[in-house]
Amino acid sequence: MKQYECMTKDSSIAAAVFVPFYAGFDIARYLWGYNISTRDAASLDLVDWLMKKPEWNVMGGRDHFLVAGRITWDFRRLTEEESDWGSKLLFLPAAKNMSMLVVESSPWNSNDFGIPYPTYFHPAKDADVFLWQDRMRSLERPWLFSFAGAPRPGDPMSIRGQLIDQCRSSSVCKLLECDLGESKCHSPSTVMKMFQSSLFCLQPQGDSYTRRSAFDSMLAGCIPVFFHPGSAYVQYTWHLPKNYTRYSVFIPEDDIRTRNASIEERLKSFHPDVVKNMREEVINLIPRVIYADPRSKLETLKDAFDVSIEAIINKVTKLRRDIIAGHEDKDFIEENSWKYSLLEDGQHTIGPHEWDPFFSKPKEKGGDSSSSSAEAAKNSWKSEQRGQN
Ligand SMILES: *[C@@H]1O[C@H](CO)[C@@H](O)[C@H](O)[C@H]1NC(C)=O
Ligand SMILES: *[C@@H]1O[C@H](CO)[C@@H](O)[C@H](O)[C@H]1NC(C)=O
Ligand SMILES: *[C@@H]1O[C@H](CO)[C@@H](O)[C@H](O)[C@H]1NC(C)=O
């Protein structure tokens, strides 16, 4: 951010205000074994300080943004119960006005935005990217599909066990099982070599919707196969095409869970030319989903940083324009945030959506939107203890 060429210290001429608070690093210290007042302390200090600054009053903080390299559920504690997960940063009134960039956002909230997980590749110049893309185009890919991950035996809704069974019994699937303490899954070369030798890479949800592996697979030129729209399609709308069929395959979880659909058959049904087009799209997306070496800047390509900053500036600019014109959307329903994020340019209205069943929530006492998200949050620590997502 310090090297961003359009940075100014004069906030009165700034399109948006960056808040250099590292919410992810802060909460990571206290997620396990600390009481809620410790977990919330820095967040409360932050908003207290921010709201006293003259910049805040210009738009009530709605032109402010910050970044946290963690999933949103670590900052969405709903109650004051000690056993509840994470901090309540994103529920603080001030934070509701700001935009937080996170690697997994909430489909039902409008103050967070999904940005790609960092991968292993941080090129310093365009030429490094072009060389990498050419390599990914020309690789032999002997495996039809592959999966790197662990089952979730404690989660009756998880389809991972079925994916692993299908992979094991297929002669065209390569499996990298990530059991407790399994270090192969943390070895960049093992994971990347497998993805680089596969046409398709399975990306089921884990303890939360998203996985860093989806970006590893795209970096390897491996077409991601998603099973839940929350794993990418409603997350990374700044970075990935809204028309997901261009770069990925979608197999609804229920097809696996209840119908035991054959992944091998589904994937074999794509004509080789279609596969080639999808892979080309994935490879062309690589620059947008990687973070260049922060010590330099890509010359002509836009990386994930550039795309994110441009998007946040556009968002604030549009908001400012709407406020001045008195055009703020009065009918906006935050719970439908995921639907708004899918609208094409020029579209304004939302309605019933084929993905409604994926995002319907059991209505609970208290009525807040995040009962299932709180569940995801509670579970999220498990993946870290297992050491993978
Ligand atoms: C959030 O923004 C609204 C609308 O601009 C404003 O009325 C409100 O005071 C802001 N909240 C805080 C905590 O500043
Ligand atoms: C989405 O992309 C696919 C494949 O590229 C194409 O056939 C289809 O027409 C596109 N759909 C829309 C709505 O643009
Ligand atoms: C699901 O399909 C696989 C083959 O794709 C088969 O081996 C397995 O037995 C099936 N499971 C059930 C429960 O039908």
Side-chain angles (χ1 to χ4, degrees):
M1 189 63 73
K2 280 185 174 166
Q3 297 191 46
Y4 178 54
E5 67 271 30
C6 303
M7 184 81 138
T8 172
K9 287 191 172 160
D10 177 358
S11 67
S12 71
I13 56 168
V17 180
F18 174 62
V19 178
F21 175 69
Y22 306 115
F25 286 138
D26 168 51
I27 194 62
R29 299 176 298 171
Y30 305 125
L31 280 171
W32 296 272
Y34 289 84
N35 63 26
I36 56 175
S37 57
T38 305
R39 283 181 253 149
D40 290 338
S43 301
L44 293 169
D45 278 355
L46 171 74
V47 298
D48 193 47
W49 178 81
L50 269 179
M51 288 168 63
K52 288 182 188 139
K53 309 286 283 179
E55 293 89 346
W56 185 265
N57 293 323
V58 178
M59 287 178 76
R62 296 206 289 170
D63 50 357
H64 286 44
F65 71 103
L66 65 167
V67 184
R70 298 188 65 89
I71 59 176
T72 195
W73 317 116
D74 291 345
F75 312 97
R76 290 195 178 277
R77 196 188 65 243
L78 280 169
T79 72
E80 300 296 298
E81 306 266 343
E82 293 291 343
S83 60
D84 212 350
W85 180 255
S87 81
K88 61 178 178 187
L89 171 59
L90 285 171
F91 287 129
L92 298 176
K96 283 187 177 170
N97 279 8
M98 295 194 278
S99 303
M100 188 144 104
L101 313 191
V102 284
V103 291
E104 174 171 330
S105 65
S106 160
W108 308 285
N109 293 99
S110 57
N111 61 341
D112 56 4
F113 297 87
I115 56 171
Y117 284 74
T119 56
Y120 298 117
F121 186 44
H122 302 284
K125 46 188 198 297
D126 284 5
D128 298 342
V129 182
F130 297 141
L131 199 65
W132 179 272
Q133 287 175 303
D134 282 342
R135 261 191 66 216
M136 295 309 113
R137 281 185 188 104
S138 61
L139 288 170
E140 294 270 347
R141 296 180 186 265
W143 302 104
L144 178 66
F145 61 116
S146 63
F147 177 61
R152 294 285 185 273
D155 176 0
M157 292 305 279
S158 176
I159 60 165
R160 285 183 172 220
Q162 280 168 285
L163 297 189
I164 290 170
D165 288 346
Q166 285 205 24
C167 188
R168 270 214 197 91
S169 60
S170 164
S171 62
V172 288
C173 184
K174 173 91 174 135
L175 182 65
L176 184 62
E177 276 193 277
C178 307
D179 289 328
L180 194 62
E182 186 52 81
S183 61
K184 288 192 304 263
C185 294
H186 301 292
S187 152
S189 65
T190 311
V191 173
M192 292 305 288
K193 269 183 197 146
M194 183 173 91
F195 290 169
Q196 285 171 18
S197 57
S198 310
L199 292 171
F200 296 94
C201 292
L202 308 187
Q203 302 297 347
Q205 48 172 331
D207 300 311
S208 70
Y209 292 127
T210 63
R211 346 168 52 205
R212 173 263 174 87
S213 178
F215 294 97
D216 288 338
S217 84
M218 292 182 67
L219 177 61
C222 185
I223 300 159
V225 181
F226 295 109
F227 301 87
H228 193 294
S231 292
Y233 307 150
V234 306
Q235 294 285 346
Y236 311 109
T237 49
W238 291 346
H239 297 80
L240 301 177
K242 291 200 171 134
N243 184 352
Y244 62 84
T245 59
R246 283 167 50 189
Y247 70 93
S248 72
V249 172
F250 181 52
I251 304 178
E253 281 186 345
D254 256 359
D255 288 9
I256 307 292
R257 202 182 280 132
T258 59
R259 287 185 279 284
N260 198 26
S262 164
I263 294 164
E264 181 176 330
E265 275 171 30
R266 283 281 169 103
L267 298 179
K268 272 186 174 158
S269 73
F270 288 100
H271 189 278
D273 289 344
V274 174
V275 177
K276 191 160 178 283
N277 285 344
M278 283 195 274
R279 181 169 56 253
E280 187 55 27
E281 182 83 20
V282 167
I283 291 171
N284 287 335
L285 285 169
I286 289 175
R288 299 174 71 79
V289 299
I290 56 172
Y291 296 89
D293 187 325
R295 288 164 300 191
S296 57
K297 172 140 184 44
L298 303 182
E299 296 95 333
T300 64
L301 296 173
K302 285 181 187 164
D303 74 347
F305 172 92
D306 298 319
V307 171
S308 306
I309 298 300
E310 198 174 285
I312 206 81
I313 286 174
N314 286 342
K315 175 187 175 278
V316 175
T317 303
K318 180 173 178 304
L319 177 64
R320 192 179 287 116
R321 215 190 292 131
D322 287 351
I323 291 173
I324 292 169
H327 279 160
E328 270 197 274
D329 186 356
K330 297 278 182 295
D331 301 327
F332 180 79
I333 299 165
E334 184 170 18
E335 197 172 297
N336 288 329
S337 291
W338 65 272
K339 292 190 188 181
Y340 292 99
S341 74
L342 294 172
L343 292 178
E344 299 288 346
D345 289 342
Q347 283 185 311
H348 299 289
T349 49
I350 57 163
H353 195 283
E354 59 176 315
W355 289 339
D356 282 332
F358 288 95
F359 297 109
S360 65
K361 294 151 295 150
K363 273 286 172 224
E364 295 215 355
K365 54 270 160 208
D368 195 282
S369 57
S370 317
S371 51
S372 54
S373 49
E375 210 45 51
K378 270 183 222 140
N379 284 328
S380 67
W381 65 274
K382 291 186 212 149
S383 64
E384 295 207 29
Q385 291 214 323
R386 285 201 202 92
Q388 58 86 42
N389 287 300

